[in-house]
Amino acid sequence: GAVVSQHPSWVICKSGTSVKIECRSLDFQATTMFWYRQFPKQSLMLMATSNEGSKATYEQGVEKDKFLINHASLTLSTLTVTSAHPEDSSFYICSASFPGGSVGEQFFGPGTRLTVL
Amino acid sequence: QKEVEQDPGPLSVPEGAIVSLNCTYSNSAFQYFMWYRQYSRKGPELLMYTYSSGNKEDGRFTAQVDKSSKYISLFIRDSQPSDSATYLCAIYNFNKFYFGSGTKLNVKP
């Protein structure tokens, strides 16, 4: 149980275009979802925390107008990278937690590799 | 100062060796500590989860927290080639997770 999926698993786009990444909890309702980015050989950096039905909370230094997060339902959150540029190329990972789970327990998706040409 | 620091390695050991992975953290108020394993191009998966100080064992894996020195460890006994991955320590505090940079482990057959 507690499976999180992401789509697409990889995407290549041209500079200036927008890319949407979906994160779904397949067998549980995720009240909170987290979005991370990970550069090669570096750790996960939290970008934002989203709770279903409310605005996402962004970490310092993360542009909310560039990285649009929507958590419209208890099983789906989306991250849209607007006007993507090569420096946005990274591995984006979402995770989800649910009430009743162990404190601090979160389940990660498999990640989406974004390459901006 | 970063909330959690981790030696990035890489760490290379022969099969069957005991592996010790370590992190230090900055805030003595932290209570929840996790270890994740991440295979290449995959999302992390939770290995161990401990609250406060002490040890927790699960099969070949033992997680240890020393709050007096703000030090957390993961021990792997009888390491296998399939244990080759990047191991991330993490701390959970007020609905936010702080991750170490990860230690890349290679277990040679």
Side-chain angles (χ1 to χ4, degrees):
Chain A
V3 178
V4 176
S5 71
Q6 277 184 246
H7 178 80
S9 55
W10 59 270
V11 58
I12 301 173
C13 69
K14 291 182 178 179
S15 186
T17 60
S18 294
V19 175
K20 180 184 283 188
I21 302 170
E22 293 185 348
C23 176
R24 292 182 185 272
S25 55
L26 298 185
D27 50 3
F28 66 99
Q29 293 185 325
T31 50
T32 304
M33 286 186 169
F34 305 86
W35 285 96
Y36 297 86
R37 64 188 299 182
Q38 186 177 35
F39 292 104
K41 300 186 180 183
Q42 294 188 29
S43 186
L44 301 166
M45 290 183 57
L46 180 65
M47 298 175 66
T49 303
S50 74
N51 293 293
E52 184 267 337
S54 61
K55 289 184 178 180
T57 301
Y58 289 81
E59 293 300 298
Q60 192 172 11
V62 178
E63 298 176 60
K64 59 181 68 176
D65 294 330
K66 180 167 185 63
F67 298 99
L68 301 178
I69 291 172
N70 183 282
H71 192 162
S73 76
L74 286 171
T75 60
L76 173 65
S77 177
T78 60
L79 167 67
T80 301
V81 183
T82 62
S83 186
H85 287 93
E87 58 265 30
D88 299 323
S89 298
S90 188
F91 193 51
Y92 291 88
I93 306 177
C94 72
S95 70
S97 63
F98 59 93
S102 300
V103 173
E105 188 172 21
Q106 57 175 334
F107 302 95
F108 285 87
T112 297
R113 183 160 300 282
L114 170 64
T115 301
V116 185
L117 302 176
Chain B
Q1 185 184 10
K2 293 178 73 173
E3 289 81 9
V4 58
E5 302 270 7
Q6 183 175 8
D7 185 341
L11 183 62
S12 187
V13 301
E15 183 176 354
I18 296 174
V19 176
S20 173
L21 303 166
N22 308 293
C23 292
T24 57
Y25 62 94
S26 60
N27 190 333
S28 58
F30 290 151
Q31 296 274 43
Y32 299 97
F33 308 92
M34 284 77 71
W35 283 95
Y36 288 84
R37 178 174 61 196
Q38 185 178 22
Y39 292 110
S40 182
R41 298 177 180 266
K42 300 290 185 183
E45 56 176 325
L46 181 66
L47 273 179
M48 304 281 290
Y49 157 70
T50 54
Y51 170 73
S52 193
S53 59
N55 292 0
K56 186 173 184 179
E57 191 172 317
D58 183 1
R60 297 185 293 111
F61 298 87
T62 299
Q64 188 175 78
V65 177
D66 182 346
K67 295 202 77 181
S68 62
S69 57
K70 292 184 280 188
Y71 202 79
I72 54 178
S73 303
L74 178 70
F75 299 99
I76 307 174
R77 291 186 301 279
D78 187 26
S79 56
Q80 303 295 310
S82 58
D83 295 329
S84 298
T86 297
Y87 291 80
L88 300 137
C89 60
I91 293 170
Y92 175 79
N93 190 51
F94 290 109
N95 205 34
K96 190 176 287 190
F97 295 88
Y98 304 97
F99 285 87
S101 56
T103 299
K104 187 169 185 178
L105 171 67
N106 180 35
V107 181
K108 298 173 291 185

